[in-house]
Amino acid sequence: MPPEIDHQVVAALYQFRMATAEQLRVLHTPDSQLELMRRRLRRLKKECLVEDVVLPQAGRLRAWFLTERGARIAARFPELQHVASPPLPEDKTEARLRVGHILAVTRTQAAFVAGARKTGDECRPLEFLPEVYHRYGEGRDGAVIPDGLLHYTAVAGGRRLCRAFVEVDRGTMASEKLASKLFGYARFHEHHPVPVHLRRTVAGQSVLPAWQQRYPVFPRLLFVLADTGEQAARHRIRDLQSIAATSPMVARMLRTVRAGAASLADLEQHGTSAAVWHTLTDPQRPLCGVWEL
């Protein structure tokens, strides 16, 4: 078993916190059998680098995460220098209780990686940074922390470097609360480090909006609906579209920021670039690919 795959698996578990053997296979060894990845993980467990927990009601499916020793080693990997150290679970009970949302996020990146391979685009396993902090105000509500910041290179029709804020929803929060996340992104989009009364000065006019100090273009907003039924997913998409249509602040943002929603099951079945995305600004528009929003 090539040692570089061990390195990649440990790096992925550091960045994504938890993953199943199948998710790690899709990310790193898509042409190999699942049992080979399971065997690799069992060997890493014997080396005290990873631990596993059996998922409830999942047919003995296991989720894998780093031990303290594994996280300490991974923290020194060059590609992880700017990735926050993962909060390690105190025990297997805590790991089991936290695993649902974390695995949905990992599934989402695995879907983008697999979709890129299918279309000839570029999206490597670690080009999805979980929980990147973006502050725009004071207090606990003064920041947006997307489930992931996606880096993706679309190749068809000329290379395009694409970024997206990804929100993964498992239906565990009220639909209204999910839709309200658009307000946070709209506030971040409008946030300016210079007070309004000073922007009229020459110096104030030269200061860029806060987001533009990090991104050349504001990232797309992608809502991925996981583990929800088809009807529930439709309702949540309608609520997102309703906020987009009725909030002046959100509407201002969406004049230039592209936003859409899709079910994770569709992304896995048809590919992330397939016509499975609902645009938030035009409910009547036919479904489209993620980079066509």
Side-chain angles (χ1 to χ4, degrees):
M1 297 183 182
E4 63 269 17
I5 302 299
D6 287 352
H7 178 106
Q8 293 168 7
V9 166
V10 170
L13 289 176
Y14 184 92
Q15 182 154 312
F16 293 110
R17 300 359 183 189
M18 295 184 190
T20 65
E22 171 60 13
Q23 290 169 348
L24 292 167
R25 185 195 70 80
V26 171
L27 288 170
H28 299 294
T29 59
D31 298 324
S32 70
Q33 296 180 350
L34 177 59
E35 182 55 33
L36 293 178
M37 181 57 71
R38 288 175 174 156
R39 192 182 309 165
R40 182 184 305 280
L41 288 164
R42 289 194 293 266
R43 180 165 52 77
L44 291 172
K45 182 177 180 178
K46 288 181 180 179
E47 296 174 358
C48 299
L49 295 176
V50 305
E51 188 54 87
D52 66 300
V53 62
V54 177
L55 302 183
Q57 301 177 341
R60 306 294 295 176
L61 182 67
R62 296 175 183 272
W64 297 84
F65 56 95
L66 293 183
T67 62
E68 185 176 346
R69 177 172 184 259
R72 189 169 60 249
I73 291 172
R76 296 196 289 269
F77 292 176
E79 66 270 35
L80 298 174
Q81 289 302 302
H82 301 292
V83 178
S85 176
L88 299 177
E90 291 185 4
D91 52 36
K92 289 192 175 185
T93 299
E94 183 187 354
R96 189 171 63 253
L97 294 174
R98 290 172 47 196
V99 73
H101 183 74
I102 296 174
L103 287 186
V105 173
T106 310
R107 274 179 65 195
T108 299
Q109 174 58 355
F112 274 101
V113 170
R117 291 192 188 112
K118 184 184 299 186
T119 59
D121 292 338
E122 298 173 9
C123 184
R124 292 172 291 188
L126 297 185
E127 291 184 318
F128 185 102
L129 298 174
E131 300 178 0
V132 179
Y133 197 83
H134 300 78
R135 174 157 291 285
Y136 59 81
E138 299 298 326
R140 59 183 300 180
D141 296 326
V144 290
I145 311 172
D147 288 317
L149 171 62
L150 174 69
H151 294 253
Y152 190 104
T153 302
V155 174
R159 292 176 65 85
R160 289 175 292 155
L161 303 180
C162 305
R163 288 188 180 91
F165 293 134
V166 181
E167 292 286 350
V168 179
D169 171 57
R170 298 178 56 239
T172 55
M173 67 175 70
S175 181
E176 183 179 354
K177 186 174 181 180
L178 171 68
S180 71
K181 290 191 174 188
L182 283 170
F183 292 119
Y185 284 106
R187 285 191 287 269
F188 174 55
H189 182 261
E190 292 193 351
H191 176 61
H192 203 287
V194 177
V196 174
H197 69 280
L198 294 180
R199 292 181 207 168
R200 300 184 184 92
T201 69
V202 174
Q205 290 172 357
S206 66
V207 179
L208 297 173
W211 67 263
Q212 208 167 348
Q213 297 174 25
R214 301 179 67 165
Y215 305 106
V217 177
F218 198 89
R220 282 171 169 80
L221 302 180
L222 304 180
F223 290 83
V224 177
L225 308 178
D227 305 327
T228 58
E230 185 176 338
Q231 183 176 10
R234 284 200 302 269
H235 290 165
R236 294 169 98 75
I237 291 170
R238 289 195 192 113
D239 289 344
L240 287 166
Q241 292 170 332
S242 176
I243 293 292
T246 58
S247 166
M249 181 171 60
V250 173
R252 283 196 302 272
M253 173 183 67
L254 295 182
R255 290 182 194 135
T256 56
V257 176
R258 302 183 183 189
S263 79
L264 180 51
D266 283 342
L267 301 185
E268 292 174 324
Q269 180 178 356
H270 304 291
T272 51
S273 295
V276 296
W277 290 90
H278 301 255
T279 180
L280 298 192
T281 54
D282 184 3
Q284 304 305 316
R285 181 183 172 184
L287 300 183
C288 61
V290 61
W291 310 121
E292 299 167 355
L293 287 166

